[in-house]
Amino acid sequence: MMSTSLLLLSFLLAVTAAQGASGFRICAFNLHHFGASKASKNDVMITLARIISRCDVCLLQEVRDSKGTALPKLLETIKRYDKQNKYEALASERLGRTESYQEQYVFIYRSNTVKVTDQFQYPDNLPGDEDAFSREPFVVRFSAPRTSIKDFVLIPQHTTPTNTTKELDALYDVLQQVRKMWKNENVMLLGDFNADCGYLAKKNRKHVRLITDSSLHWLIPENTDTTVKLTTSCSYDRIVVHGERFYRAVVPSSAQPFNFQQEYRLTEEQALDVSDHYPVEVLLEVVSSRAFNGVISFTSSFAVFQCLSCIIYHLILL
């Protein structure tokens, strides 16, 4: 009886693996002061490569590569780690109100599954609300033929903790400008929003249009811990999608943080060397070409046939 149960379990796992292989993963990861110092640590770079190579598109934040050497090294490490896919990087200019502290938004993406079709550095000059952001969004439009929506826009944001409420509300203006400019309703906003704990008071949420507009769906559940430290439990990192079509394209319950400390069996100290944030991620449903569907269908069917054969053979022996 126990053997039969194990065979049934292997059958279900095989089918799940065959079906789940087709997901398109979008991630956002705050790398916590990523620059030459962190890039010099081989174990950290390997862990970053393992994390980022899980994603078709990965937004990186807190890239502070003033020497311009850390990002190329990271990209090369990813390419060496995952030779089955092709990777490219697209970086914003260095952003910040002071020369002493600046960051870049960076998108690392699989060029064999997704293409960049446009980009836009938000000028942050809305009349009456100029200079709303410390690090204004670097907006990128992607074409992903395997996904059910084909074409979508990503708006990244790493808010300043002391100005979270205002910056989150100002993101709504960015969203409206991008929708109008590119005539595209498939927009995702993502990043370290600092949208919890002491940085976004509950009493202020009613003043944030990004929260109150019913056309926007916040995918990372409230009270989800996206921080590495055991002493903190905050939902800082978020993913928000605009519109019902984009929302329906999301694999249900797939939006979550990726606990790389647990997955790779790291100590808290080792994990903090990588970052003090977990990446957040979401899967988009894939509608493949006929040929690709045939491969997946064959793979799924073969897995089902193989496991059913095992079960039938076992039952005959009983």
Side-chain angles (χ1 to χ4, degrees), residues 12-306:
L12 292 172
L13 288 173
V15 172
T16 301
Q19 293 175 339
S22 60
F24 183 97
R25 193 184 309 270
I26 299 176
C27 310
F29 193 10
N30 181 327
L31 295 190
H32 191 219
H33 301 324
F34 179 75
S37 177
K38 187 168 287 190
S40 67
K41 301 176 181 178
N42 188 59
D43 56 339
V44 169
M45 294 293 276
I46 292 297
T47 301
L48 287 175
R50 295 176 75 183
I51 295 169
I52 295 167
S53 64
R54 299 172 64 256
C55 312
D56 289 88
V57 180
C58 188
L59 161 68
L60 307 181
Q61 303 140 84
E62 278 201 36
V63 175
R64 301 195 61 206
D65 186 17
S66 58
K67 296 180 180 178
T69 58
L71 181 59
K73 187 174 181 180
L74 176 60
L75 187 59
E76 285 305 311
T77 304
I78 293 169
K79 288 178 178 179
R80 287 198 304 271
Y81 179 77
D82 178 14
K83 295 182 179 180
Q84 293 184 334
N85 292 288
K86 298 179 180 179
Y87 291 90
E88 294 184 21
L90 179 64
S92 72
E93 60 191 65
R94 292 175 58 76
L95 303 166
R97 290 186 174 130
T98 66
E99 288 293 326
S100 60
Y101 190 91
Q102 295 187 330
E103 298 178 8
Q104 288 174 286
Y105 296 113
V106 176
F107 291 93
I108 291 183
Y109 59 96
R110 293 177 177 171
S111 57
N112 53 307
T113 66
V114 61
K115 305 295 182 186
V116 171
T117 58
D118 215 335
Q119 57 185 281
F120 171 60
Q121 179 62 67
Y122 182 69
D124 206 4
N125 59 1
L126 186 69
D129 197 21
E130 297 88 350
D131 195 27
F133 301 99
S134 293
R135 297 170 283 269
E136 51 269 31
F138 175 59
V139 187
V140 180
R141 186 173 184 175
F142 291 94
S143 170
R146 290 177 56 230
T147 66
S148 59
I149 53 173
K150 313 298 183 189
D151 177 55
F152 59 86
V153 177
L154 299 185
I155 301 179
Q157 183 56 37
H158 178 204
T159 69
T160 300
T162 55
N163 203 33
T164 291
T165 301
K166 179 176 175 55
E167 291 193 17
L168 283 182
D169 184 64
L171 269 180
Y172 190 82
D173 297 316
V174 181
L175 169 64
Q176 304 314 316
Q177 182 170 340
V178 168
R179 288 174 61 203
K180 182 178 180 181
M181 178 178 65
W182 285 336
K183 295 179 173 55
N184 193 320
E185 298 296 309
N186 301 323
V187 184
M188 178 183 291
L189 305 100
L190 69 172
D192 178 6
F193 288 1
N194 285 300
D196 198 9
C197 295
Y199 300 137
L200 182 62
K202 287 187 168 74
K203 65 179 181 180
N204 291 334
R205 297 188 180 202
K206 62 179 179 290
H207 302 302
V208 178
R209 291 167 291 169
L210 206 68
I211 295 174
T212 59
D213 190 324
S214 60
S215 69
L216 290 157
H217 303 272
W218 287 60
L219 300 183
I220 302 296
E222 291 289 334
N223 302 317
T224 300
D225 187 11
T226 68
T227 63
V228 172
K229 288 184 179 179
L230 290 175
T231 54
T232 60
S233 182
C234 298
S235 303
Y236 288 147
D237 304 84
R238 300 301 187 100
I239 299 174
V240 180
V241 294
H242 170 265
E244 290 304 315
R245 183 165 178 257
F246 207 164
Y247 184 59
R248 288 195 302 270
V250 170
V251 175
S253 304
S254 66
Q256 59 188 340
F258 175 62
N259 188 331
F260 62 84
Q261 179 184 353
Q262 179 177 307
E263 184 71 18
Y264 303 143
R265 299 181 181 181
L266 305 176
T267 65
E268 182 178 359
E269 183 180 1
Q270 289 171 327
L272 286 171
D273 280 344
V274 177
S275 178
D276 57 351
H277 289 249
Y278 294 128
V280 289
E281 62 184 39
V282 66
L283 285 174
L284 301 186
E285 292 182 345
V286 166
V287 179
S288 307
S289 66
R290 184 176 300 176
F292 186 82
N293 268 333
V295 173
I296 294 300
S297 177
F298 173 79
T299 303
S300 300
S301 299
F302 182 75
V304 172
F305 174 77
Q306 191 175 41

